[in-house]
Amino acid sequence: MNLEQILDKNNGKGVLNWIMLMKINKEDLISSICYTELVYGRINKKLNLCLSNSEIEALIIDLIIETDDRNFKRIGKNIYVLNFYNKISITINSNTNRVITVDRMKN
């Protein structure tokens, strides 16, 4: 998911007022990131994988570490981690640092 897709998803209504280019402290994010039981299944389904919970957590951490700092966007209450190399986006709630979903990015 790229910025244009995020804007389209929100119908562009006032979203530009909510976009905050932010410097993310990756270590803080990684140390406080959390998951629900449902999100593990959602990630496996959306990425067409069959990973254990610990493997998913390791994948998310690796993707966050690999992602360029410029590709962390905060829009409203969510942080979008856009890893263009692996073509994967991660959506994280910025208040709780809970992973909401992971998607494959389209070309």
Side-chain angles (χ1 to χ4, degrees):
M1 184 176 295
N2 61 33
L3 189 55
E4 290 79 21
Q5 290 169 320
I6 294 166
L7 290 173
D8 287 344
K9 184 177 176 182
N10 292 290
N11 297 320
K13 295 179 181 172
V15 174
L16 289 176
N17 294 334
W18 288 95
I19 295 176
M20 301 176 81
L21 300 178
M22 54 191 296
K23 177 72 172 159
I24 299 287
N25 184 320
K26 291 181 184 182
E27 290 81 19
D28 287 347
L29 182 61
I30 289 169
S31 68
S32 63
I33 202 164
C34 61
Y35 309 81
T36 63
E37 283 302 315
L38 290 175
V39 83
Y40 294 115
R42 183 180 305 134
I43 291 169
N44 273 326
K45 181 178 179 182
K46 287 195 168 195
L47 298 182
N48 197 23
L49 299 171
C50 188
L51 301 176
S52 68
N53 293 1
S54 59
E55 290 172 321
I56 288 172
E57 292 173 13
L59 172 67
I60 297 296
I61 290 169
D62 288 345
L63 289 168
I64 290 171
I65 291 169
E66 292 173 2
T67 301
D68 188 287
D69 291 346
R70 295 173 293 173
N71 295 322
F72 286 79
K73 310 284 186 228
R74 180 175 174 178
I75 302 177
K77 63 182 174 117
N78 292 332
I79 297 171
Y80 297 90
V81 180
L82 308 172
N83 186 302
F84 291 102
Y85 180 76
N86 293 295
K87 296 184 179 173
I88 294 176
S89 69
I90 307 168
T91 305
I92 302 170
N93 180 293
S94 64
N95 296 320
T96 62
N97 286 341
R98 182 170 290 138
V99 175
I100 298 169
T101 194
V102 175
D103 293 294
R104 289 224 183 261
M105 297 166 63
K106 296 179 182 174
N107 294 335

